């Protein structure tokens, strides 16, 4: 049975309102942010010589031998991420796929952002579609960020976009923020239809429809949207050069200007 109109509207309009100050008006945390958040660039590292890379790999192999502790595995990731060499890509890939600790896996994903693009880009694309990785949204967030820094191409957007609405629980929020960050920094025009879907407050079009998701779904979606709603508007601004308050406002502008700018939906 679909939830009653009263239940859904109570969730979306009452229990989920943002924190309020003394004035009694909702506080918009995005209002005090800069117009566009500055992208976080990976730390630049030197390129390792073949001889130095061979030494590093031997040290890492010893660290990972036997029942290595988390501290030892993190130290191995740190060594591999302290320099750039094509031979570091494979061991980092293995750590992302197979290490039991999410901290180690995310550290290895971050280190891939600093490795040679030619060898790293296909590995990142492979990992983003790996069954061992897909169930860890926080790890996917690190990989999306790494790809944005190291090898992203416009033809990758279809893969990235599919991740955004997979789920709206709290563990997926970092992934959604990573997708928005990539679209914003790359000014990815293909992202506009996705952004238009999420510029307005989420709510069912017809609460009484038989296929309407349960109230719990709308609660999770609203809470996620409340975290990154400002980034949706920031990303639209980065792509179009215009600020929009509502989806309708953005659609009207795109109908008049989108085709000229080569933006889908215009």
């Amino acid at each position: 049975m679909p939830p009653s109109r009263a239940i859904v509207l109570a969730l979306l309009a009452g229990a989920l309102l943002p924190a309020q100050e003394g004035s009694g008006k909702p506080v918009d945390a995005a209002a005090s942010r800069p117009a566009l958040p500055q992208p976080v660039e990976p730390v630049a590292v030197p390129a390792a010589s073949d001889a130095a890379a061979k030494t590093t790999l031997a040290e890492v192999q010893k660290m990972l031998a036997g029942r290595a502790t988390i501290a030892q595995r993190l130290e191995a990731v740190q060594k591999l991420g302290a320099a750039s060499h094509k031979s570091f890509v494979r061991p980092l890939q293995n750590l992302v796929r197979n290490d039991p600790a999410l901290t180690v896996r995310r550290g290895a994903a971050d280190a891939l952002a600093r490795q040679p693009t030619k060898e790293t880009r296909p590995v990142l694309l492979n990992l983003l579609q790996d069954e061992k990785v897909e169930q860890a949204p926080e790890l996917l967030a690190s990989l999306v960020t790494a790809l944005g820094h190291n090898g992203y191409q416009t033809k990758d957007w279809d893969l990235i976009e599919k991740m955004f609405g997979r789920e709206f629980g709290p563990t997926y929020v970092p992934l959604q923020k990573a997708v928005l960050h990539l679209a914003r920094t790359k000014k990815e025009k293909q992202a506009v239809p996705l952004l238009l879907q999420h510029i307005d407050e989420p709510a069912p079009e017809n609460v009484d429809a038989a296929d309407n998701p349960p109230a719990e779904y709308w609660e999770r979606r609203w809470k996620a949207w409340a975290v990154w709603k400002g980034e949706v508007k920031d990303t639209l601004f980065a792509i179009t050069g215009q600020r929009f308050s509502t989806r309708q406002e953005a659609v009207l502008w795109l109908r008049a200007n989108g085709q000229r700018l080569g933006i889908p939906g215009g």
Side-chain angles (χ1 to χ4, degrees):
M1 293 290 291
S4 70
R5 183 183 302 274
I7 292 175
V8 174
L9 294 181
L11 282 169
L12 297 178
L16 299 176
L17 280 176
Q20 299 184 356
E21 292 183 346
S23 63
K25 297 180 179 180
V27 177
D28 187 352
S32 60
R33 290 206 318 267
L36 283 175
Q38 294 300 309
V40 178
E41 297 295 335
V43 177
V45 297
S49 66
D50 291 345
K54 185 176 181 180
T55 299
T56 297
L57 287 173
E59 294 173 351
V60 166
Q61 188 173 10
K62 289 181 179 179
M63 290 176 185
L64 298 178
R67 296 183 178 181
T69 64
I70 290 182
Q72 289 171 321
R73 296 182 336 251
L74 284 172
E75 185 179 357
V77 168
Q78 185 177 19
K79 277 189 171 293
L80 292 170
S84 174
H85 194 273
K86 62 182 181 180
S87 65
F88 296 167
V89 175
R90 183 56 60 85
L92 287 170
Q93 178 186 22
N94 290 336
L95 286 165
V96 170
R97 290 188 76 247
N98 301 315
D99 197 276
L102 181 60
T103 303
V104 175
R105 300 177 81 187
R106 293 191 69 180
D110 294 340
L112 282 171
R114 302 188 286 274
Q115 301 309 314
T117 301
K118 180 180 178 181
E119 290 78 18
T120 303
R121 170 180 154 76
V123 166
L124 289 172
L125 292 173
N126 181 271
L127 287 169
L128 285 167
Q129 301 171 81
D130 193 301
E131 291 182 357
K132 291 187 176 183
V133 175
E134 286 183 330
Q135 303 307 314
E138 294 162 313
L139 178 57
L140 287 174
S142 295
L143 290 168
V144 169
T145 300
L147 181 65
H149 290 310
N150 197 3
Y152 173 79
Q153 298 177 14
T154 56
K155 63 183 178 181
D156 304 331
W157 177 250
D158 286 346
L159 171 64
I160 301 301
E161 180 181 21
K162 291 175 184 176
M163 299 179 185
F164 190 89
R166 186 178 296 175
E167 176 57 70
F168 289 97
T171 57
Y172 281 81
V173 167
L175 174 57
Q176 289 155 350
K177 288 172 67 69
V179 171
L180 291 170
H181 183 269
L182 183 149
R184 185 166 60 250
T185 55
K186 300 300 180 182
K187 298 184 179 181
E188 180 55 77
K189 295 178 180 180
Q190 296 177 91
V192 169
L194 173 68
L195 298 169
L196 293 178
Q197 292 176 25
H198 296 284
I199 189 172
D200 289 339
E201 184 175 13
E205 292 184 6
N206 182 358
V207 176
D208 297 319
D211 59 350
N212 180 50
E216 291 79 7
Y217 164 84
W218 292 106
E219 180 178 0
R220 291 195 305 273
R221 181 165 169 177
W222 194 99
K223 287 180 176 178
W225 172 83
V227 174
W228 40 253
K229 61 180 179 178
E231 294 185 47
V232 172
K233 294 180 180 180
D234 287 342
T235 305
L236 275 169
F237 175 67
I239 297 168
T240 67
Q242 300 292 318
R243 289 260 175 211
F244 306 110
S245 299
T246 66
R247 183 182 188 278
Q248 182 179 16
E249 182 182 335
V251 168
L252 290 174
W253 187 89
L254 286 167
R255 285 176 183 170
N257 302 280
Q259 186 175 5
R260 172 174 56 84
L261 298 175
I263 296 176

